Amino acid sequence: DELFTLGSDKPFESAVQHAVSGMIRLLQERYSLSHADAAALTAHVGDIQVCNLVGPQDTAACLISRANLMTFG
């Protein structure tokens, strides 16, 4: 079971940035983490996956296993 956020943009690096920023916001809103804690968790256990590199925009996903949330803190 995982949380995931998507980001779409050109170039791919911008899509990754959007996906990671979305994950940080999600962790702050859903789990009441501070920005620093959400960013640290994402940096340590976040997984970036390529979803699309064809077409007008590239798409990336940022995934975090829910099991990692239970051990954080």
Side-chain angles (χ1 to χ4, degrees), residues 10-23:
K10 281 281 189 184
F12 181 71
E13 291 81 2
S14 293
V16 170
Q17 184 176 17
H18 289 302
V20 170
S21 295
M23 180 58 72

Side-chain angles (χ1 to χ4, degrees), residues 15-52:
V16 170
Q17 184 176 17
H18 289 302
V20 170
S21 295
M23 180 58 72
I24 292 169
R25 279 192 307 277
L26 180 119
L27 293 171
Q28 288 178 279
E29 293 169 7
R30 190 173 293 178
Y31 296 95
S32 300
L33 296 180
S34 69
H35 184 272
D37 285 344
L41 180 63
T42 302
H44 283 47
V45 299
D47 179 32
I48 301 299
Q49 295 185 0
V50 176
C51 297
N52 180 42

